[in-house]
Amino acid sequence: MKTLMKLIVSAVFFMQVITAQGTEKQKDYPVTPIPFTKVHINDAFWFLRMEINRKVTIPFAFKKCEETGRIDNFSKAAGIMEGKYEGIRYNDSDVFKVIEGASYSLSLHPDPKLEKYLDDLIAIIASAQEDDGYLYTARTIDPENPAPGAGDTRWSKLRGSHELYNVGHMYEAAVAYYLATGKDTFLDVAIKNADLLVKIFGPGKKHDIPGHQEIEIGLAKLYRVTGNEKYLNLAWFFLNERGKAHDGELYPESSRFALYNRTRHIQDHKPVLEQKEAVGHAVRAAYMYAGMADVAALTGNADYVKAIDRIWENVVSKKLYLTGGIGSRHEGEAFGDNYELPNLTAYSETCAAIGNVMWNHRLFLLHGDAKYLDVLERVLYNGLISGVSLSGDLFFYPNPLRSDGKFKFNQGALTRKPWFDCACCPGNLARFLPSIPGYVYAYKDNILYVNLFVSSHAKVKMANNTVTIKQETGYPWEGAIKITVNPERSEKFAIYVRVPGWAQNQPVPSDLYKYMKKSEEKASLKVNGNSVNLNMDKGFARIRRKWKKGDIIELNLPMSIRRVLCHEKVEDNRGKVAFERGPIVYCAEEIDNGENVHNLAVSDNVVLRSEYRKDLLGGVTVIHGKVLSFYRSKAGKAAFKKEQKFVAIPYYAWGHRGEGQMAVWLERSRD
Ligand SMILES: [Zn+2]
């Protein structure tokens, strides 16, 4: 397709979406997010992280892709370099993810040097593509001897080959690059590949599934940009094919493989509409649920919505860490049973956290309910950004809630590492961080949603008006949020300001966690200096009035320290307490508390204080107070109590000051 044609097609498609002309309107999410390119963040917390991602993580990840042969694999497949395939069969995907991140970064910060680097890299990728559109360097380099696990022939081992997973990331990257630069070089590669898949797979053609979901999200994005329904239909087809035992490999639940059951592992144990519990590999699952949400929104399929709603209930009430992490088992990187949430051996992969944000955001866009944003915010500020160091060049793959200073959870390490053989997480962070501004605002008809509290400004084109909105706040350390509203025309519409669950005595939208004491401090709201009642609607304070230029909303969230208790069924957390302040989950580290972190008991009655420490870990609010340090006898009885100082830091910042003990959940003393 020629560039001009494509631009016309996508322009028409976007106009249909934006102008919402009756029946002409393409089906989509009822709530529309304000894209990250239209939201300008100037906030101390996120701006810094995004700048480090742009200046350190993205170049660092490209360098690692070069050093580890990931980029050479494309050169070899293109025939411009000699040699064998290097690395694991899905390494192409890492390069695609970093290109996606770099493209997002280009959208926000034009950078000719980076654009030239991407152009050259995309030219190599295009040359590595086979004539009919196939792209999988693990096979193309030497089709007679493909990389281990790739399968002898094309599509012969889809459950493990990641052929379709890789190209799913390629579609996402190609769309990102196209939207950032207007250049169609990479999009052409994606379209040629997707056209091949449309020829191979579908009703009356090959019936099978991708062993690792991701292509569904990529195909939905390709559909949005091209307006070509065949890509959406293929995403739908792949989802509907799950649970049909194409190769007859259904293990019975009771078999010795029950713990790490391949069919459950890839969510292929039941048709997706019959799945009620989150099982198997957590990243696969989260990508699948996000893909199902996309297909539901773009086709209007209500059954898909019901299915993912049911699975969400299961995760939020039984399988979610306090940090927002999901997937508790190292074995199979998988969801555990209900309430199986161990702390020391928590897997809670960084990629699964990113998938959890993607999924919850889509559910918000479907339902307009802030409970999904409560989960999203919990993941974002805790178990997701813990995945990358403050310096931007060290990464956690798992994100446990406890460390004994011995159990090497991070692929042989006790702290963050620069890279991994299976390097899914660093590239995923590189692409996720620039997209954060896209989660802050949204609109639906004449409702403007303020979802997250981040100093920023954005221009929002609503159904009948254009509104410039500006936020000023010291969140997450301070609870005061000032929002200035500037509509082009003075008129009546609604602004929905999220009041987080944690500010309403509900840490998560379930009974999995609760605050030890209900706080009497309430969130409060003012408009132009006058207090207004909180008219709550699905977790948002609804302010419907005739807005005029310069109107000011002030939201005040109570930022007291909260003690959190866990559902009794979670064995590891019985008799324990955790600490939160605002959206931040805290932990105690050895460096601040000595080697006895796991034998510290916090009395219900002790006064804890918070203090902002500019000099510490890039500037954080710490919690401090007095606790009892004790020793356990062999019989498990606590003895020899002595008082000592206690300091807790935000969980996301742990592991920056050497190896050692850490705990989110501490012993609770009722003394
Ligand atoms: Zn990962």
Side-chain angles (χ1 to χ4, degrees), residues 349 351 397 424-425:
E349 184 180 338
C351 286
Y397 194 123
C424 49
C425 300

Side-chain angles (χ1 to χ4, degrees), residues 97 165 283 287 333 347 349-352 396-397 422-426 428:
K97 276 192 270 191
Y165 165 83
V283 179
Y287 286 2
E333 306 182 319
Y347 200 66
E349 184 180 338
T350 303
C351 286
F396 275 146
Y397 194 123
C422 168
C424 49
C425 300
N428 225 344

Side-chain angles (χ1 to χ4, degrees), residues 42-273:
N42 50 8
D43 144 293
F45 192 85
W46 290 113
F47 182 73
L48 198 66
R49 289 231 152 209
M50 286 167 58
E51 280 295 277
I52 287 169
N53 187 64
R54 180 169 77 89
K55 291 178 181 163
V56 180
T57 310
I58 291 172
F60 178 80
F62 274 135
K63 190 171 123 252
K64 284 288 173 192
C65 285
E66 287 169 9
E67 285 172 7
T68 55
R70 282 169 165 84
I71 289 176
D72 285 348
N73 282 337
F74 288 99
S75 299
K76 290 171 190 169
I80 51 181
M81 189 178 170
E82 290 286 312
K84 287 184 178 166
Y85 181 85
E86 214 177 320
I88 310 172
R89 62 197 180 284
Y90 40 79
N91 280 4
D92 289 358
S93 66
D94 300 324
V95 179
F96 298 143
K97 276 192 270 191
V98 188
I99 295 177
E100 188 186 346
S103 302
Y104 291 159
S105 177
L106 272 187
S107 304
L108 303 172
H109 295 273
D111 177 346
K113 208 172 135 202
L114 178 61
E115 194 169 331
K116 169 81 172 64
Y117 181 88
L118 292 180
D119 283 340
D120 293 347
L121 180 54
I122 289 164
I124 297 171
I125 292 170
S127 304
Q129 183 170 38
E130 297 188 23
D131 288 344
D132 63 355
Y134 188 74
L135 181 58
Y136 183 50
T137 65
R139 186 183 318 285
T140 304
I141 290 172
D142 183 359
E144 298 302 311
N145 298 291
D152 293 338
T153 54
R154 286 183 184 186
W155 336 116
S156 62
K157 210 181 170 191
L158 279 181
R159 271 136 219 265
S161 68
H162 292 61
E163 274 160 298
L164 299 175
Y165 165 83
N166 277 358
V167 296
H169 277 302
M170 192 258 284
Y171 302 164
E172 287 207 79
V175 169
Y177 188 70
Y178 170 66
L179 294 176
T181 63
K183 293 179 194 167
D184 57 5
T185 42
F186 203 8
L187 192 60
D188 281 342
V189 175
I191 288 172
K192 197 170 165 188
N193 181 271
D195 286 347
L196 171 69
L197 298 190
V198 169
K199 260 188 235 156
I200 304 287
F201 297 95
K205 295 176 253 180
K206 188 172 176 60
H207 286 245
D208 210 336
I209 56 152
H212 193 314
Q213 300 88 330
E214 157 62 27
I215 194 168
E216 303 82 358
I217 296 171
L219 283 165
K221 285 193 175 175
L222 212 50
Y223 161 66
R224 281 170 194 276
V225 164
T226 62
N228 199 330
E229 276 188 9
K230 64 185 177 183
Y231 305 133
L232 176 62
N233 291 338
L234 185 60
W236 201 353
F237 172 80
F238 280 141
L239 288 167
N240 278 338
E241 285 300 301
R242 300 198 96 80
K244 294 186 179 169
H246 297 92
D247 60 2
E249 275 187 33
L250 275 177
Y251 293 114
E253 297 276 331
S254 59
S255 83
R256 70 189 182 85
F257 294 107
L259 190 66
Y260 179 27
N261 177 318
R262 271 199 61 201
T263 316
R264 279 162 68 89
H265 181 67
I266 60 173
Q267 297 81 33
D268 191 32
H269 56 302
K270 282 179 186 172
V272 290
L273 291 179

Side-chain angles (χ1 to χ4, degrees), residues 327-542:
S328 60
R329 287 183 190 165
H330 276 247
E331 189 173 21
E333 306 182 319
F335 281 105
D337 289 335
N338 288 334
Y339 301 109
E340 182 186 332
L341 294 167
N343 293 316
L344 179 69
T345 59
Y347 200 66
S348 191
E349 184 180 338
T350 303
C351 286
I354 291 171
N356 204 15
V357 165
M358 287 160 48
W359 177 33
N360 275 284
H361 189 232
R362 283 160 166 83
L363 286 172
F364 160 69
L365 299 176
L366 275 174
H367 296 294
D369 194 318
K371 66 182 179 181
Y372 304 107
L373 300 171
D374 285 346
V375 179
L376 184 155
E377 183 184 64
R378 180 168 292 279
V379 186
L380 193 59
Y381 281 93
N382 301 292
L384 192 158
I385 47 162
S386 53
V388 55
S389 67
L390 299 168
S391 58
D393 55 358
L394 295 165
F395 307 93
F396 275 146
Y397 194 123
N399 294 272
L401 283 78
R402 178 182 172 100
S403 170
D404 58 5
K406 296 183 196 114
F407 175 63
K408 293 183 175 168
F409 62 91
N410 197 27
Q411 305 207 354
L414 285 164
T415 52
R416 293 177 186 83
K417 284 174 71 168
W419 199 249
F420 309 94
D421 289 340
C422 168
C424 49
C425 300
N428 225 344
L429 285 158
R431 73 167 182 147
F432 177 77
L433 277 152
S435 76
I436 284 173
Y439 296 98
V440 179
Y441 304 104
Y443 77 96
K444 179 190 177 186
D445 303 324
N446 281 314
I447 298 172
L448 198 164
Y449 292 96
V450 179
N451 295 336
L452 297 177
F453 308 113
V454 182
S455 286
S456 58
H457 61 96
K459 204 172 196 178
V460 184
K461 280 198 169 126
M462 302 185 21
N464 304 317
N465 207 341
T466 299
V467 182
T468 304
I469 189 158
K470 185 172 141 196
Q471 255 195 86
E472 294 160 271
T473 177
Y475 202 79
W477 314 123
E478 291 163 26
I481 296 125
K482 182 181 166 193
I483 302 165
T484 309
V485 186
N486 281 310
E488 236 168 49
R489 277 195 327 279
S490 186
E491 67 173 15
K492 207 169 189 180
F493 61 92
I495 296 182
Y496 276 42
V497 182
R498 177 171 153 258
V499 181
W502 59 258
Q504 300 178 77
N505 286 312
Q506 192 173 26
V508 287
S510 74
D511 65 354
L512 188 54
Y513 303 104
K514 65 176 180 193
Y515 293 124
M516 197 171 86
K517 281 185 200 144
K518 279 217 150 115
S519 171
E520 295 303 318
E521 285 183 277
K522 298 243 180 327
S524 67
L525 197 62
K526 284 181 185 170
V527 176
N528 296 334
N530 302 315
S531 292
V532 295
N533 286 335
L534 293 181
N535 284 320
M536 296 303 291
D537 184 0
K538 292 185 175 175
F540 291 93
R542 181 184 59 220

Side-chain angles (χ1 to χ4, degrees), residues 585-607:
V585 174
Y586 281 78
C587 71
E589 272 196 300
E590 183 175 327
I591 191 159
D592 301 309
N593 299 284
E595 286 175 12
N596 206 25
V597 170
H598 301 306
N599 286 341
L600 295 179
V602 186
S603 162
D604 287 357
N605 303 313
V606 76
V607 176

